[in-house]
Each structure stands twice: as C-alpha cells, then as structure tokens.
Amino acid sequence: MATRRQLPPRPETAARRREILAAALEIFGAKGYKNGPLAEIAEQVGMTHAGILHHFGSKDRLLVEVLRYRDESDVEGLEDQHIPDGIELFRHLIRTAFANEARPGIVQAYAVLSAESVTDGHPGRDYFEERYRVLRAEIVEAFTVVCRDRGIDDAQLVDRAAASILAVMDGLQVQWLLDPTQVELAETSAFAIEAIALQALSPRPSPFDAE
Amino acid sequence: MATRRQLPPRPETAARRREILAAALEIFGAKGYKNGPLAEIAEQVGMTHAGILHHFGSKDRLLVEVLRYRDESDVEGLEDQHIPDGIELFRHLIRTAFANEARPGIVQAYAVLSAESVTDGHPGRDYFEERYRVLRAEIVEAFTVVCRDRGIDDAQLVDRAAASILAVMDGLQVQWLLDPTQVELAETSAFAIEAIALQALSPRPSPFDAE
DNA sequence: ACTAACTTACAATGCAGTCAGTAAGTAAGT
DNA sequence: ACTTACTTACTGACTGCATTGTAAGTTAGT
C-alpha cells in the first residue's frame, strides 16, 4: 500500500484557522462552550459549520485549541518574552488587571469557560486544572524569591497566598462583568493583591480572634 | 365573565416542589443550567419533564425559584436568624468557608451558575447581580461598624475590601473544585479574608512600589 | 493527478414546550 | 351522604427547533 501523500497546508490556511479561533473565543465567551453553536462561529468567519469541522475535527478539539491559542498570543503580546520573576511578577499581575479592563470579551471568556469546565466531562477541564497549577507555581516561585531576600520562609503561607491572589483576580472579574459600575476591576485587584502579599511577607495576627 | 375559581394547592404539593428544586440545583450544578435537561431533574423526583413544567411554567422560571429557594434555606439553617454584623460577619464568612468543604455540590452550583449568568440573556443574571450587591453592602456595613470603633473611615478602601473578600471566596471555590488536593478551601479563605480585612482596617504601604 | 478546503444535504440526537387526556382531590348544592 | 362541577397534578405523545457530526460532491491550488 502506497503511503498516501500529505500536502502541506496552503499559505492562507494558518491565518484562516486563527480567524476561526478568535471567533470561537468570542462566541464561547458570550454564550458559553456548550451553548455556543459552531454555526455562529462559522458565520462570523464566512463559512459553514462543516468547514470548521474540516479544520478542527470536532467541537471539543476546537475548544482545546482555542484555549491554547489564547495562551500563546498572550505571551507574544508581552514586551519581554521571559516570565517575570520576583517582585516583577506581582507588578505584572496588576498591570494585567489594568489591561483587562479594556478587553471584557477575553475576561468573560475565561470567567465563563473556567467555571463551566468544572461540570461533568467538560473538554476544557484538563486545561484549566493545569493552568491553575502552573500559575500558582509561578506565584509561589515569585514569593520564594522575595522571601529569600527578606530571610523568611513559610511554604504553607506562600501556597495560600498564591491561590488567593489568583482567586481574587478571577472573582473580581465575575463581579465586574455582572456590573462594571459597581466594581473597579483594576484598582480593587491591586488593593487585594497587595493586601495578600503583605500578609504573606510579614504576617500580622488575625483581627477576628477573641479580643 | 365569571371569575374562575382557584383551588388552594394540595397539602403534599409544597414538599413535592421542594424536592424538584433540590434536584434541579443538583443537576444545574453538575451540568450547568443550559446543559442540564429537565428530563434528568424529573427522573430524579420520579416524574416526567412535563410534570415539572406544570409546576414551574418554564425552565427559566424554575432556575429563578431554585436560586431563591437556596437563599431561604440557607438563612433557615442559621442558628441566629438575624444577619450577623460587625466583626461577627467576618467570623460567619470564615465559618461558611469551612462548612462549604462538606457540600461540594452546592459550592459547584453557585460557582457554575454565577459565571454562566454573565452570558447573553441568561435568566439568572438579575439574581446574581442583586446577590453580589446585597452581599457587598453587608460586608461594607460590617467594616463600617468596626471602623467606627477604631475611629477610621475610608469608604473607597472598604468598598474594595468588600468586593475582594467575596471575590477571593468565589475564586478559591473554582480552584478547589478543579483540584481539591491542591487547594485548602477553608484555611485559605480564612487567610485571605484576614489579609484583606487587615489592610482595610490599618493599611500598610504597597510592597510593590519602587524601592 | 492528487489533495486541501470547502459546500450542500442529510442523519441522528437532544430538548423545551404544547396539548389532550386521566385520575384524584375539593367545594358547593341538595 | 351523595352527586355535580370544577380543579390540581400529573402522563404520554407529539411538535418544532437546534445542534453536532458525516458523507458525497465541487472547485481550485500545487
């Protein structure tokens, strides 16, 4: 049996796929993954839903590629390619919160899809599990660097602070999406990140214990 | 035109409706609202999906009643009927975080539905918008009481702290649902709430400014 | 010539909501 | 006490729509 020839994709195809991924992120963000039909994505890039399946095989695989694609293009957008470390990471997170105010679509996509991913058999679940693991680890690393400078070291505290920082950013996004007039996304994120980092770096006693 | 007679519901009906509401919360939590079929809810209470529509009229109205029902039965569960105020509210929030570790189903329902509610035309949107407004106001009130005792008063700080506390609780829930082995829901919530409250009650300078 | 990149048409499923019918309850009149 | 008139609480069958995936055919690039 002759191994059948595999032609390389045509030059425009890569760009076409990127168009589809961008449209899919928009639709999934606006309506959720399960409730965002392929036909609507297809319409936005001027083809039929069967055309999209030709490129991505199935809706599930499309979602996975959408999520990975967003990650890549986020990293591209960074001026400095390397991941910021130490105290720079915290500044980067706050800058991200400010930048996010200008792109509610992407914020909504992540908020909607991350929560949807915890539902039964959701195809995005592995992605988000891994994403949080990696992000927490990066923040833990940044804390560790800063802690070393200051001669302190409490792994448990740092783990909790890392999870809390991501949590507060995500949670504020939901509140902000529900009513942007009531929540200042960026300033509030900055406040909370500082509060949590301060408590991790030089803890004060709980104000809630019996007094 | 003769006004048509309206019989009162039968004695068992109230209990039946509550069964349906409980089943609906479970299904919506597990699969999301749009993706949670009425038939599955019906099956769990031993009737057909048409029976459910007889009681609630439409799926949208069922969702709204489910959310309101959960609120009520939460309040019932409290030993003291009145809303805790001042420092007691913070202790109550932390106790809630500990209690939540034992009821992942309800946690998941709120996490999934609140995020889904920001999507286009979602029937739960009004509920969650209001819910966050009320909860933020309660926390602001608690801060105000505590601040008064200490002779301080910064409305902006308190607003931000209130939103942040809710945000961190919600965000941690998502991370915990994705991987409970990696996040200690209750302890981390307590840590973050304390950190945020401390910074609101006696602020320290940002650790991220140029040094 | 072969294949990528589609389209059109269709199959298969899943789902909310409607409708007519039924059994059992309730109120009112006698 | 019993009947009549009406209602509640459903079921089962069906409609209509939306949606993913597939298969076969068409066009144009290489």
PDB file of all heavy atoms in Angstrom, chain B residues 40-53:
ATOM      1  N   GLU B  40     -33.803  15.068  33.250  1.00  0.00           N
ATOM      2  CA  GLU B  40     -32.955  14.457  34.269  1.00  0.00           C
ATOM      3  C   GLU B  40     -33.414  14.852  35.673  1.00  0.00           C
ATOM      4  O   GLU B  40     -33.378  14.052  36.607  1.00  0.00           O
ATOM      5  CB  GLU B  40     -31.509  14.902  34.041  1.00  0.00           C
ATOM      6  CG  GLU B  40     -30.496  13.875  34.480  1.00  0.00           C
ATOM      7  CD  GLU B  40     -29.155  14.096  33.796  1.00  0.00           C
ATOM      8  OE1 GLU B  40     -29.161  14.424  32.588  1.00  0.00           O
ATOM      9  OE2 GLU B  40     -28.120  13.974  34.451  1.00  0.00           O
ATOM     10  N   ILE B  41     -33.822  16.108  35.800  1.00  0.00           N
ATOM     11  CA  ILE B  41     -34.376  16.560  37.074  1.00  0.00           C
ATOM     12  C   ILE B  41     -35.637  15.761  37.387  1.00  0.00           C
ATOM     13  O   ILE B  41     -35.831  15.279  38.503  1.00  0.00           O
ATOM     14  CB  ILE B  41     -34.703  18.068  37.008  1.00  0.00           C
ATOM     15  CG1 ILE B  41     -33.432  18.870  36.754  1.00  0.00           C
ATOM     16  CG2 ILE B  41     -35.405  18.531  38.274  1.00  0.00           C
ATOM     17  CD1 ILE B  41     -33.688  20.298  36.317  1.00  0.00           C
ATOM     18  N   ALA B  42     -36.467  15.622  36.375  1.00  0.00           N
ATOM     19  CA  ALA B  42     -37.733  14.908  36.522  1.00  0.00           C
ATOM     20  C   ALA B  42     -37.494  13.475  36.984  1.00  0.00           C
ATOM     21  O   ALA B  42     -38.142  12.979  37.913  1.00  0.00           O
ATOM     22  CB  ALA B  42     -38.502  14.930  35.210  1.00  0.00           C
ATOM     23  N   GLU B  43     -36.560  12.821  36.325  1.00  0.00           N
ATOM     24  CA  GLU B  43     -36.258  11.437  36.641  1.00  0.00           C
ATOM     25  C   GLU B  43     -35.909  11.296  38.120  1.00  0.00           C
ATOM     26  O   GLU B  43     -36.347  10.358  38.790  1.00  0.00           O
ATOM     27  CB  GLU B  43     -35.088  10.974  35.776  1.00  0.00           C
ATOM     28  CG  GLU B  43     -34.885   9.467  35.750  1.00  0.00           C
ATOM     29  CD  GLU B  43     -33.563   9.104  35.068  1.00  0.00           C
ATOM     30  OE1 GLU B  43     -32.688   9.992  34.979  1.00  0.00           O
ATOM     31  OE2 GLU B  43     -33.409   7.957  34.644  1.00  0.00           O
ATOM     32  N   GLN B  44     -35.136  12.256  38.616  1.00  0.00           N
ATOM     33  CA  GLN B  44     -34.672  12.154  39.994  1.00  0.00           C
ATOM     34  C   GLN B  44     -35.801  12.257  41.018  1.00  0.00           C
ATOM     35  O   GLN B  44     -35.671  11.767  42.140  1.00  0.00           O
ATOM     36  CB  GLN B  44     -33.635  13.242  40.278  1.00  0.00           C
ATOM     37  CG  GLN B  44     -32.431  12.676  40.988  1.00  0.00           C
ATOM     38  CD  GLN B  44     -31.323  13.697  41.126  1.00  0.00           C
ATOM     39  OE1 GLN B  44     -31.341  14.534  42.019  1.00  0.00           O
ATOM     40  NE2 GLN B  44     -30.372  13.623  40.233  1.00  0.00           N
ATOM     41  N   VAL B  45     -36.887  12.916  40.651  1.00  0.00           N
ATOM     42  CA  VAL B  45     -38.017  13.012  41.574  1.00  0.00           C
ATOM     43  C   VAL B  45     -39.157  12.101  41.147  1.00  0.00           C
ATOM     44  O   VAL B  45     -40.258  12.167  41.706  1.00  0.00           O
ATOM     45  CB  VAL B  45     -38.529  14.464  41.714  1.00  0.00           C
ATOM     46  CG1 VAL B  45     -37.446  15.346  42.293  1.00  0.00           C
ATOM     47  CG2 VAL B  45     -39.017  15.006  40.378  1.00  0.00           C
ATOM     48  N   GLY B  46     -38.901  11.265  40.125  1.00  0.00           N
ATOM     49  CA  GLY B  46     -39.915  10.303  39.711  1.00  0.00           C
ATOM     50  C   GLY B  46     -41.108  10.906  38.994  1.00  0.00           C
ATOM     51  O   GLY B  46     -42.248  10.569  39.301  1.00  0.00           O
ATOM     52  N   MET B  47     -40.863  11.802  38.075  1.00  0.00           N
ATOM     53  CA  MET B  47     -41.959  12.226  37.191  1.00  0.00           C
ATOM     54  C   MET B  47     -41.397  12.543  35.808  1.00  0.00           C
ATOM     55  O   MET B  47     -40.215  12.300  35.547  1.00  0.00           O
ATOM     56  CB  MET B  47     -42.726  13.414  37.784  1.00  0.00           C
ATOM     57  CG  MET B  47     -41.982  14.675  38.077  1.00  0.00           C
ATOM     58  SD  MET B  47     -43.080  16.104  38.388  1.00  0.00           S
ATOM     59  CE  MET B  47     -43.383  16.014  40.124  1.00  0.00           C
ATOM     60  N   THR B  48     -42.243  13.036  34.936  1.00  0.00           N
ATOM     61  CA  THR B  48     -41.779  13.381  33.598  1.00  0.00           C
ATOM     62  C   THR B  48     -41.481  14.882  33.544  1.00  0.00           C
ATOM     63  O   THR B  48     -41.876  15.639  34.434  1.00  0.00           O
ATOM     64  CB  THR B  48     -42.847  13.058  32.545  1.00  0.00           C
ATOM     65  OG1 THR B  48     -43.987  13.889  32.797  1.00  0.00           O
ATOM     66  CG2 THR B  48     -43.239  11.601  32.602  1.00  0.00           C
ATOM     67  N   HIS B  49     -40.779  15.286  32.487  1.00  0.00           N
ATOM     68  CA  HIS B  49     -40.392  16.703  32.422  1.00  0.00           C
ATOM     69  C   HIS B  49     -41.615  17.601  32.276  1.00  0.00           C
ATOM     70  O   HIS B  49     -41.592  18.764  32.678  1.00  0.00           O
ATOM     71  CB  HIS B  49     -39.389  16.930  31.298  1.00  0.00           C
ATOM     72  CG  HIS B  49     -39.989  17.147  29.958  1.00  0.00           C
ATOM     73  ND1 HIS B  49     -40.373  16.115  29.137  1.00  0.00           N
ATOM     74  CD2 HIS B  49     -40.303  18.279  29.299  1.00  0.00           C
ATOM     75  CE1 HIS B  49     -40.870  16.606  28.017  1.00  0.00           C
ATOM     76  NE2 HIS B  49     -40.840  17.913  28.092  1.00  0.00           N
ATOM     77  N   ALA B  50     -42.676  17.049  31.735  1.00  0.00           N
ATOM     78  CA  ALA B  50     -43.912  17.833  31.608  1.00  0.00           C
ATOM     79  C   ALA B  50     -44.498  18.156  32.983  1.00  0.00           C
ATOM     80  O   ALA B  50     -45.097  19.224  33.182  1.00  0.00           O
ATOM     81  CB  ALA B  50     -44.927  17.073  30.758  1.00  0.00           C
ATOM     82  N   GLY B  51     -44.310  17.228  33.916  1.00  0.00           N
ATOM     83  CA  GLY B  51     -44.783  17.474  35.269  1.00  0.00           C
ATOM     84  C   GLY B  51     -44.091  18.666  35.909  1.00  0.00           C
ATOM     85  O   GLY B  51     -44.712  19.471  36.610  1.00  0.00           O
ATOM     86  N   ILE B  52     -42.814  18.783  35.646  1.00  0.00           N
ATOM     87  CA  ILE B  52     -42.057  19.912  36.185  1.00  0.00           C
ATOM     88  C   ILE B  52     -42.536  21.218  35.583  1.00  0.00           C
ATOM     89  O   ILE B  52     -42.699  22.223  36.290  1.00  0.00           O
ATOM     90  CB  ILE B  52     -40.557  19.693  35.940  1.00  0.00           C
ATOM     91  CG1 ILE B  52     -40.084  18.553  36.847  1.00  0.00           C
ATOM     92  CG2 ILE B  52     -39.772  20.961  36.222  1.00  0.00           C
ATOM     93  CD1 ILE B  52     -38.638  18.240  36.722  1.00  0.00           C
ATOM     94  N   LEU B  53     -42.791  21.179  34.277  1.00  0.00           N
ATOM     95  CA  LEU B  53     -43.283  22.395  33.624  1.00  0.00           C
ATOM     96  C   LEU B  53     -44.679  22.758  34.151  1.00  0.00           C
ATOM     97  O   LEU B  53     -45.043  23.931  34.199  1.00  0.00           O
ATOM     98  CB  LEU B  53     -43.306  22.208  32.106  1.00  0.00           C
ATOM     99  CG  LEU B  53     -41.918  22.178  31.480  1.00  0.00           C
ATOM    100  CD1 LEU B  53     -41.981  21.744  30.019  1.00  0.00           C
ATOM    101  CD2 LEU B  53     -41.227  23.534  31.601  1.00  0.00           C
TER     102      LEU B  53
END
